């Protein structure tokens, strides 16, 4: 997001006020030139490349070669890769390599984008970081060692752990709560060692929080009515101005004003120095869309820095151009003692008392859902392609084409992790760009998966035929269901068909439990629910044929038909805790009680503990201000600023109960008034009728809820509130990026308490008392809060408009008229039961089986089904985070790779299809569960036996660019007497296929198989 909101705040600050006290030693200012280049936000990537982004790299490379003292840091890789591949000349590429070798150009962070930290999933964060790092290492042999996370709206405790595992020596953040930042400035506490995970003490990382000026150069100077230090002005869209004159270009440095410029810069440096422990000051020079004309930038800053250094003794300040690495190396050399921060995060983020940045946790819910679904499809496609290639690619699939499709979706999923993308804080045209890129990538990967399956279902000459996704014709159909998880999964998958009676058989011709009912999405169609059990990284093949009913002696009985109970609409009223007319919906794990007097849920009984918890649900809306002249701040894409408490969004509710042998579905429709024809909200609740034990445990223990919300009225923020009699004390637990949980006690603030008690739920959240826990699992990010004891509310949707000129100018008013259909699974039970189930259930929701549904050809109907490989099965506390063929063509031996680069082997070499990337993730914290929290030992040769004979195992850093035995991170002295951040992991024998994974560890390996 841009600096405009920050500048409004900064103009109110006294930039040039003298500091009360400063460091005793002479101050050394490190001037770090940079350009913050949002991959999206207001303008599309193509528009940004044309208007300014390409010029940043072209002009910076030129200017760095002209001045040996000059420096620049490059951060996100998407724009750089587009420039490198499509614009840079061979001479410019040679100059880039030379600048990197000399340390004058430095890649920091190095991800494809600067990802958001609040609403992104850890798997997608790792993906985008791996994408950027793989390119940098393959192309230059460069491995970033420092982060530059200056713009995400709050900081997650997952991030320091990931960056430590990637080999970073230091981490830099900026946007944290204004109150906390002020307190940390006063206490000189903006720098510390951060242990992001309570289970991984070795993964501490030195962390620098930017002061109140953040990543932008202070723009106000007292001697000019123009902004200061922005000599190239402001970028112009859609094309650069023909004469090179940009708006708001700073007053040039001249002999007449150089002393004034110097005093302004030095005064600001001294002010900032008072907020830090050491006399070393990081002074970012740049902001959004800067350095598109690096010539005029450096031409003005060069003499200014020289002038300050000529008066260094008098001014008490010396200045130098620096990379981020230059600053952190100088800081590290001081050997200062630092405090250690525990695993608490910096969420939520507020920039002012009435500016709580908690609205973006839900903004553009449809995009959030699409992004997560795309990531899940990519995850499945990666492992299926890897299984196809090993032990030998038997079929007609072109591996190069398949890898190209996977790479396209890798790029799109990485791109949408940007902090103005999945956050929903972009303009509509940029949202359209993200969705188009995701849709194109998903289509390509589905084609790859279909081609692989068809290679096993049909003769070779038919293998490349594409199958239609939906067809309601009378012919038989074929469905292949792939389980991308490394466990056996029992679940129900759903197909939409055009016939009301159907038989389902598996690959052996045996009947399969199935149920058919009217579709909730398409009235003229039918939902066919099929029960399946699929081993890890394997698929099942089902034949679906229309029938006229059950035939005697047939092995293909029709799927069971449901019966529907209808309940008339009921007006909203205060529901009695003890309803007189209750309907019981029962499976082996739960009894759900519905109050027929209100058409609402009344309670859920956990049958294992025999405890009944009162549970009611309803939809409410927060009303927000749309007129800035009324004196209230506004809700927008970023911020949530309700006028008052949420109010019920319905006056009547209707209910249907669809009773079936396989599952029962409760349909509740919420109307704005009794006479309304269309409902605005709905809940579809599903209970599966399967045994509690064995493979069906996860399926039995979940209550699936699909919500429908929208279209909303203008300036409404919609929530579903679940109220219980759990004595939760207004404490809610929500996750950081699907990796770890944070305890969130309710905080009473003088202003804006509702919004400031909202937190992101990326994958899971729960409330609890001493006996039971209610868990919520989500397949997309939402804002979540507990405003009262026993309550949990989930924000589902937002539709906003206001007259704030900034929002209007950039089309960021979030007038979202869509209908959203998020899914949440509920788990209720004792602490031990829910602890054991939560992580695996969350992954079962995230990575539901991928269904390929095409016409059933006559040859396929008679075939014995697809050729199967040996299943890949992990213990229940380990997650196969990735199994893929990245395609990188660099040598795993760093010295050899660097020699190859020096020899000029830099072209578009053929992708390496032999190297397999494997990443394993221990799901549990230390001490979380008496059994599942134990370390797990795995024999990788045995685990991957179905892919072939493993001949080499090489452990790597998180993004694959380091041999972990050669990765050494800096030690930092801490107040506890230890040196934090020195090791990525305990010393382990290199190449051993038998590995032990400890709680919360994420371990990465290159696997090499015997070639056949």
């Amino acid at each position: 997001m841009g600096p405009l909101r920050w500048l409004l705040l900064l103009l109110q600050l006294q930039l040039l006020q003298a500091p009360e006290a400063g460091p005793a030693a002479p101050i050394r200012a490190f001037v770090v030139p940079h350009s913050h280049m949002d991959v999206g936000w207001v303008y599309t990537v193509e528009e940004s490349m044309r208007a300014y982004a390409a010029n940043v790299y072209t002009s910076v490379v030129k200017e760095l070669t002209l001045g040996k003292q000059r420096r620049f840091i490059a951060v996100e890789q998407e724009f750089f890769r587009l420039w490198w591949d499509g614009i840079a000349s061979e001479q410019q590429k040679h100059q880039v390599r030379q600048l990197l070798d000399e340390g004058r150009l430095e890649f920091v962070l190095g991800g494809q984008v600067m990802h958001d930290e609040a609403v992104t999933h850890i798997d997608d964060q790792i993906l985008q970081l791996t994408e950027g790092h793989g390119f940098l290492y393959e192309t230059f042999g460069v491995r970033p060692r420092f982060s530059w996370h200056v713009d995400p709206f709050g900081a997650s405790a997952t991030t320091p752990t990931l960056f430590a595992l990637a080999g970073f020596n230091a981490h830099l953040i900026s946007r944290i709560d204004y109150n906390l930042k002020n307190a940390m400035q006063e206490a000189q506490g903006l720098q510390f060692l951060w242990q992001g995970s309570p289970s991984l003490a070795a993964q501490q990382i030195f962390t620098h929080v930017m002061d109140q000026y953040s990543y932008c150069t202070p723009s106000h100077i007292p001697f000019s009515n123009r902004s200061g230090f922005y000599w190239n002005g402001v970028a112009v869209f859609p094309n650069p101005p023909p004469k090179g004159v940009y708006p708001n270009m700073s007053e040039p440095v001249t002999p007449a004003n150089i002393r004034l410029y110097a005093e302004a810069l030095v005064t600001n440096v001294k002010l900032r120095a008072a907020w830090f422990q050491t006399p070393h000051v990081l002074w970012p020079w740049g902001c959004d869309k800067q350095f598109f004309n690096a010539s005029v930038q450096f031409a003005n800053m060069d003499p200014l820095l020289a002038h300050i250094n000529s008066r260094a003794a008098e001014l008490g300040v010396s200045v130098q151009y620096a990379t981020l690495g230059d600053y952190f190396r100088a800081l590290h050399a001081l050997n200062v003692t630092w405090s250690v921060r525990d695993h608490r995060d910096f969420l939520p983020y507020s920039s002012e008392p009435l500016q709580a940045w908690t609205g973006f946790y839900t903004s553009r819910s449809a995009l959030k859902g699409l992004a997560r679904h795309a990531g899940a499809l990519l995850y499945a496609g990666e492992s299926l392609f890897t299984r196809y290639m090993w032990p030998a690619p038997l079929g007609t699939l072109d591996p190069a084409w398949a890898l190209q499709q996977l790479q396209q979706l890798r790029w799109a999923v990485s791109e949408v992790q940007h902090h103005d993308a999945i956050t929903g804080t972009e303009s509509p045209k940029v949202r359209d760009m993200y969705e188009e890129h995701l849709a194109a990538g998903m289509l390509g990967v589905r084609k790859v998966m279909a081609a692989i399956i068809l290679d096993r279902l049909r003769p070779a000459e038919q293998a490349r035929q594409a199958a239609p996704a939906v067809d309601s014709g009378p012919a038989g159909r074929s469905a292949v269901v792939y389980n991308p998880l490394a466990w056996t999964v029992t679940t129900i998958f759903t197909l939409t068909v055009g016939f009301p009676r159907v038989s389902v058989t598996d690959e052996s011709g045996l009947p399969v439990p199935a149920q058919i009912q009217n579709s909730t999405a398409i009235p003229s169609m039918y939902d066919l629910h099929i029960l399946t059990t699929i081993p890890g990284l394997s698929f099942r093949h089902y034949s679906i044929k229309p029938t006229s009913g059950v035939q005697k002696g047939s092995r293909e009985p029709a799927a069971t038909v449901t019966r529907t109970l209808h309940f008339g609409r009921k007006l909203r009223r205060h529901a009695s805790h003890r309803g007189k007319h209750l309907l019981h919906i029962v499976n082996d794990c739960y009894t759900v009680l519905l109050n027929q007097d209100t058409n609402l849920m009344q309670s859920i009984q956990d049958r294992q503990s025999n405890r009944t918890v009162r549970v009611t649900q309803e939809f409410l809306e927060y009303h927000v201000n749309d007129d800035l002249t009324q004196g209230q701040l506004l809700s927008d894409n970023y911020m949530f600023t309700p006028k008052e408490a949420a109010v019920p969004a319905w006056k009547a509710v209707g209910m249907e109960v669809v009773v079936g042998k396989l599952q029962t579905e409760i349909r509740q429709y919420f109307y704005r008034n009794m006479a309304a024809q269309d409902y605005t909200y709905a809940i579809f609740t599903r209970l599966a009728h399967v045994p509690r034990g064995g493979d069906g445990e996860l399926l039995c223990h979940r209550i699936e809820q699909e919500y429908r919300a929208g279209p909303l009225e203008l300036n409404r923020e919609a929530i579903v509130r679940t109220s219980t009699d759990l004595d939760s004390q207004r404490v809610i637990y929500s996750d950081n990026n699907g990796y770890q949980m944070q305890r969130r006690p309710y905080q009473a603030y003088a202003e804006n308490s509702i919004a400031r008690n909202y937190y992101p739920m990326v994958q899971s959240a729960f409330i609890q008392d001493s006996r039971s826990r209610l868990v919520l699992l989500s397949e997309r990010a939402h804002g979540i809060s507990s405003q009262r004891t026993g309550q949990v509310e989930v924000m589902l949707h937002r539709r906003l408009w206001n007259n704030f000129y900034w929002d209007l100018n950039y089309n960021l008013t979030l007038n979202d008229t869509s209908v959203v259909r998020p899914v949440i699974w509920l788990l209720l039970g004792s602490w031990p039961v829910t602890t054991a189930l939560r992580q695996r259930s969350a992954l079962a929701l995230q990575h539901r089986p991928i269904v390929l549904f095409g016409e059933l050809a006559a040859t396929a109907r008679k075939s014995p089904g697809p050729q199967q490989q040996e299943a890949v099965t992990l213990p229940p506390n380990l997650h196969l985070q990735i199994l893929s063929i990245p395609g990188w063509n660099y040598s795993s031996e760093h010295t050899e790779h660097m020699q190859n680069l020096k020899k000029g082997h830099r072209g578009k070499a053929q992708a390496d299809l032999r190297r397999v990337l494997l990443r394993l993730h221990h799901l549990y914290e230390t001490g979380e569960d008496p059994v599942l929290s134990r370390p797990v030992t795995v024999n990788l040769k045995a685990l991957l036996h179905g892919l072939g004979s493993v001949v080499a195992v090489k452990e790597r850093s998180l993004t694959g660019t380091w041999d972990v035995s050669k990765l050494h991170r800096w030690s930092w002295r801490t107040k506890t007497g230890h040196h934090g951040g020195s090791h990525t992991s305990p010393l382990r024998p290199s190449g051993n296929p038998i590995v032990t994974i400890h709680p919360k560890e994420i371990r990465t390996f290159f696997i090499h198989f015997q070639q056949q």
Side-chain angles (χ1 to χ4, degrees):
M1 179 221 166
L4 299 176
R5 287 188 178 277
W6 280 98
L7 294 179
L8 292 174
L9 175 62
L10 294 177
L11 289 175
Q12 303 171 15
L13 301 172
Q14 296 299 317
L15 170 63
L16 301 177
Q17 62 181 345
E20 296 180 2
I27 298 172
R28 187 179 174 190
F30 294 77
V31 177
V32 178
H34 75 97
S35 180
H36 185 69
M37 304 166 70
D38 286 307
V39 181
W41 186 37
V42 175
Y43 302 102
T44 67
V45 168
E46 182 180 354
E47 288 175 324
S48 294
M49 284 293 291
R50 184 169 62 247
Y52 82 94
N55 288 337
V56 170
Y57 296 114
T58 299
S59 66
V60 163
V61 168
K62 176 183 177 182
E63 293 305 314
L64 292 184
T65 60
L66 296 177
K68 292 290 186 181
Q69 81 282 13
R70 295 170 175 172
R71 302 288 186 271
F72 192 82
I73 61 170
V75 187
E76 304 92 343
Q77 289 307 300
E78 180 153 334
F79 285 128
F80 180 81
R81 291 175 71 173
L82 291 170
W83 177 80
W84 181 264
D85 289 337
I87 297 174
S89 66
E90 288 303 313
Q91 180 185 12
Q92 288 168 329
K93 291 182 177 182
H94 173 76
Q95 292 171 334
V96 167
R97 292 189 175 99
Q98 183 174 352
L99 292 169
L100 289 170
D101 289 343
E102 296 172 359
R104 296 193 285 128
L105 173 65
E106 180 180 63
F107 287 108
V108 297
L109 183 60
Q112 187 75 353
V113 298
M114 186 185 297
H115 70 250
D116 170 69
E117 297 193 37
V119 299
T120 47
H121 193 275
I122 181 174
D123 293 353
D124 298 325
Q125 294 178 352
I126 295 173
L127 169 70
Q128 75 84 22
L129 200 64
T130 301
E131 274 293 285
H133 285 195
F135 163 77
L136 288 175
Y137 189 61
E138 184 177 66
T139 309
F140 306 112
V142 166
R143 299 175 288 201
R145 302 307 300 271
F146 311 100
S147 93
W148 180 265
H149 247 224
V150 297
D151 203 27
F153 320 134
S156 164
T158 301
T159 311
T161 299
L162 293 190
F163 287 171
L165 291 171
F168 287 11
N169 286 317
H171 175 38
L172 185 146
I173 63 176
S174 181
R175 292 189 187 268
I176 67 172
D177 187 86
Y178 74 101
N179 264 336
L180 181 57
K181 179 174 282 194
N182 291 340
M184 293 171 74
Q185 286 183 171
E186 293 301 317
Q188 294 186 334
L190 292 171
Q191 294 170 322
F192 48 85
L193 269 290
W194 192 359
Q195 181 182 331
S197 167
S199 298
L200 299 178
Q203 305 309 333
Q204 296 178 6
I205 190 169
F206 182 82
T207 302
H208 173 106
V209 182
M210 284 186 155
D211 58 46
Q212 67 188 40
Y213 295 100
S214 191
Y215 63 86
C216 290
T217 310
S219 60
H220 176 69
I221 49 179
F223 58 88
S224 173
N225 59 2
R226 303 190 211 173
S227 297
F229 310 105
Y230 295 104
W231 291 287
N232 61 191
V234 177
V236 173
F237 287 78
N239 297 298
K243 296 184 179 180
V245 178
Y246 287 82
N248 204 30
M249 297 175 72
S250 298
E251 186 175 326
V253 174
T254 65
N257 66 18
I258 193 168
R259 190 180 187 95
L260 297 175
Y261 257 120
E263 289 174 353
L265 195 156
V266 166
T267 302
N268 182 254
V269 166
K270 288 182 176 180
L271 173 64
R272 300 166 100 153
W275 297 330
F276 293 90
Q277 283 184 244
T278 79
H280 291 353
V281 174
L282 174 64
W283 204 79
W285 177 33
C287 199
D288 286 45
K289 307 176 184 67
Q290 286 295 301
F291 282 88
F292 50 84
N293 185 349
S295 175
V296 69
Q297 290 281 83
F298 283 114
N300 282 276
M301 188 60 91
D302 284 355
L304 177 56
L305 298 191
H307 176 83
I308 293 172
N309 285 332
S310 70
R311 300 173 56 204
E314 169 194 348
L315 296 173
V317 173
S318 66
V319 291
Q320 68 184 83
Y321 288 125
T323 64
L324 189 61
D326 292 334
Y327 170 72
F328 279 127
R329 278 186 286 271
L331 195 65
H332 182 252
L334 296 177
N335 202 24
V336 173
T337 299
W338 305 99
S339 62
V340 177
R341 180 180 176 86
D342 63 16
H343 66 281
R344 291 169 296 164
D345 61 11
F346 291 97
L347 292 166
Y349 161 61
S350 291
S351 52
E352 290 183 12
L354 290 176
Q355 292 188 350
W357 295 49
T358 56
F360 78 89
Y361 300 160
T362 304
S363 295
R364 299 204 191 283
S365 176
L367 177 62
K368 286 176 165 63
L370 179 63
R372 284 277 285 280
H373 296 163
L377 179 65
L378 176 63
Y379 173 79
E382 297 277 19
S383 64
L384 185 61
F385 177 61
T386 305
R387 299 220 66 179
Y388 176 82
M389 294 297 297
W390 293 100
L394 301 176
T396 61
L397 177 72
D398 178 3
W401 170 81
L403 183 61
Q404 185 180 37
Q405 306 311 306
L406 290 166
Q407 288 172 334
Q408 182 182 15
L409 188 53
R410 290 173 192 166
W411 182 293
V413 173
S414 297
E415 178 184 73
V416 82
Q417 307 311 312
H418 177 66
H419 59 271
D420 273 309
I422 196 170
T423 51
T425 53
E426 66 284 325
S427 66
K429 66 179 177 182
V430 175
R431 173 209 58 204
D432 293 343
M433 177 198 73
Y434 294 135
E435 291 180 347
E436 288 167 6
H437 291 176
L438 289 169
M442 292 172 75
L443 178 61
V445 169
R446 289 190 71 88
K447 286 181 179 179
V448 170
M449 298 182 73
I452 291 172
I453 298 300
L454 288 170
D455 262 350
R456 287 159 169 75
L457 280 174
R458 297 176 179 176
E461 63 270 15
Q462 293 179 304
R464 294 297 301 274
Q465 294 178 4
V470 176
D471 175 25
S472 58
R477 310 291 300 280
S478 175
V480 172
V481 188
Y482 177 68
N483 170 25
L485 292 172
W487 312 306
T488 296
V489 168
T490 294
T491 191
I492 296 171
F493 69 95
T494 303
L495 305 175
T496 301
V497 298
F499 29 83
R501 293 187 178 275
V502 61
S503 70
V504 182
T505 54
D506 64 14
E507 54 276 341
S508 300
L510 298 176
V512 176
Q515 171 180 311
I516 194 162
Q517 60 195 56
N518 291 331
S519 173
T520 59
I522 309 174
S524 61
M525 304 289 278
Y526 301 89
D527 289 338
L528 175 62
H529 305 294
I530 302 172
L531 181 67
T532 184
T533 296
I534 318 174
L537 270 63
S538 302
F539 48 80
R540 299 291 306 274
H541 174 219
Y542 297 101
S543 298
I544 297 99
K545 294 192 300 183
T547 69
S548 58
V550 178
Q551 299 176 3
K552 290 185 178 182
S554 172
R555 300 182 65 193
E556 298 180 347
T560 60
V561 179
T562 60
R563 61 187 179 92
T564 302
L565 308 177
H566 298 273
F567 300 85
R569 293 188 195 182
K570 301 291 168 53
L571 286 170
R572 178 174 57 83
R573 60 180 181 177
H574 294 290
S576 169
H577 291 184
R578 295 182 179 274
K580 295 181 180 179
H581 302 93
L582 299 179
L583 181 65
H584 295 65
I585 309 297
V586 184
N587 73 357
D588 272 14
C589 295
Y590 300 115
T591 299
V592 175
L593 275 71
L594 303 173
N595 188 336
Q596 297 181 51
D597 297 327
T598 63
N599 282 349
L600 299 177
M601 185 184 295
Q602 175 160 300
S603 64
I604 302 174
Q605 180 194 39
D606 169 31
R607 300 186 66 186
Q608 190 167 348
S609 67
N610 200 31
R611 184 186 180 186
T612 298
V613 176
R614 180 175 60 82
V615 179
T616 60
Q617 294 180 301
E618 66 171 332
F619 293 98
L620 301 96
E621 292 175 343
Y622 287 102
H623 294 202
V624 297
N625 178 41
D626 62 356
D627 187 356
L628 194 62
T629 63
Q630 293 184 5
Q632 295 183 6
L633 291 177
L634 308 169
S635 280
D636 62 9
N637 297 47
Y638 307 91
M639 289 179 288
F640 171 39
T641 313
K643 290 182 179 180
E644 56 191 3
V647 296
W650 58 283
K651 291 187 177 179
V653 57
M655 184 170 68
E656 299 172 348
V657 178
V658 182
V659 181
K661 290 185 178 181
L662 185 58
Q663 73 173 18
T664 293
E665 181 175 86
I666 306 158
R667 301 174 177 176
Q668 295 166 288
Y669 305 99
F670 293 79
Y671 300 86
R672 292 204 178 274
N673 58 69
M674 194 67 171
Q677 290 188 344
D678 299 321
Y679 56 89
T680 305
Y681 299 99
I683 305 176
F684 304 102
T685 303
R686 303 177 184 106
L687 250 68
H689 302 297
V690 295
R692 183 169 63 196
D695 294 333
E697 181 181 34
L698 298 185
L699 179 56
C700 178
H701 269 102
R702 68 182 181 237
I703 301 172
E704 177 179 326
Q705 292 199 315
E706 177 185 350
Y707 306 100
R708 182 195 185 279
L712 302 183
E713 295 179 352
L714 202 55
N715 291 311
R716 300 290 185 266
E717 315 212 24
I719 66 170
V720 59
R721 178 178 291 164
T722 302
S723 301
T724 76
D725 57 1
L726 295 177
D727 186 18
S728 63
Q729 301 295 309
R730 286 207 288 189
V731 175
I732 192 169
Y733 295 77
S734 70
D735 66 320
N736 278 156
N737 316 108
Y739 179 66
Q740 62 191 26
M741 303 301 292
Q742 295 281 349
R743 184 177 184 271
R744 315 287 198 185
Y746 184 87
Q747 303 285 336
Y749 296 98
E751 297 178 288
N752 213 19
S753 282
I754 293 175
R756 295 182 74 178
N757 278 285
Y758 256 78
Y759 299 92
M761 174 180 68
V762 176
Q763 184 168 278
S764 63
F766 60 82
I767 58 173
Q768 64 186 20
D769 61 15
S770 60
R771 297 173 55 200
S772 299
R773 176 182 292 162
L774 176 65
V775 178
L776 289 77
L777 304 173
S778 178
E779 38 77 79
R780 70 187 71 183
H782 298 277
I784 193 167
S785 184
S786 181
Q787 299 286 332
R788 293 189 178 184
T789 291
Q791 276 188 359
V792 55
E793 61 185 54
V794 179
M795 188 173 287
L796 301 177
H797 202 8
R798 314 177 76 219
R799 183 186 176 193
L800 306 168
W801 184 91
N802 63 67
N803 60 4
F804 181 35
Y805 74 92
W806 188 86
D807 284 337
L808 293 174
N809 188 44
Y810 289 105
N811 199 5
L812 296 174
T813 57
L814 197 65
N815 188 6
D816 187 346
T817 59
S818 66
V819 175
V820 297
R821 296 177 176 86
V823 173
I824 288 179
W825 289 357
L826 305 179
L827 280 63
L828 178 66
S830 65
W831 289 22
V833 169
T834 54
T835 296
L837 294 175
R838 181 177 60 83
Q839 288 92 331
R840 283 192 299 148
S841 295
L843 287 167
L845 174 57
Q846 174 81 3
H847 296 296
R848 286 167 285 186
I850 302 298
V851 180
L852 299 172
F853 189 28
E855 286 189 359
L856 180 59
T859 54
R861 188 186 307 121
K862 298 176 182 177
S863 70
Q867 177 185 353
Q868 282 285 10
Q869 294 169 288
E870 185 177 330
V872 176
T873 305
L874 282 170
N877 47 3
L878 288 188
H879 170 45
L880 182 71
Q881 198 273 336
I882 194 67
L883 181 70
S884 73
I885 297 176
W888 303 315
N889 56 45
Y890 59 76
S891 169
S892 298
E893 298 298 327
H894 181 67
T895 301
E896 180 180 335
H897 177 51
M898 297 306 293
Q899 290 173 347
N900 289 336
L901 288 175
K902 288 181 180 179
K903 292 176 184 176
H905 299 166
R906 298 163 175 159
K908 286 284 185 181
Q910 185 175 359
D912 182 356
L913 297 173
R914 296 167 297 172
R915 177 168 41 206
V916 172
L917 174 67
L918 169 72
R919 194 177 288 120
L920 300 177
H921 171 198
H922 196 301
L923 296 172
Y924 289 82
E925 300 281 2
T926 299
E928 187 178 3
D929 183 273
V931 175
L932 296 170
S933 291
R934 296 174 183 170
V936 187
T937 298
V938 178
N939 186 328
L940 298 182
K941 283 190 174 182
L943 174 71
L944 302 174
H945 181 263
L947 280 76
S949 177
V950 174
V951 296
V953 174
K954 299 179 181 180
E955 184 162 6
R956 309 292 291 187
S957 61
L958 181 73
T959 59
T961 57
W962 285 92
D963 179 336
V964 293
S965 66
K966 299 176 182 178
L967 172 58
H968 301 287
R969 296 173 53 239
W970 290 348
S971 295
W972 301 80
R973 188 182 301 277
T974 66
K975 293 181 179 178
T976 59
H978 302 290
H979 290 69
S982 57
H983 301 290
T984 58
S985 58
L987 294 178
R988 304 181 177 102
S990 178
N992 191 344
I994 300 177
V995 297
T996 300
I997 316 294
H998 293 266
K1000 298 312 290 186
E1001 280 190 334
I1002 301 174
R1003 303 273 296 278
T1004 303
F1005 305 91
F1006 284 166
I1007 307 294
H1008 295 267
F1009 294 96
Q1010 180 71 46
Q1011 292 244 305
Q1012 294 188 6

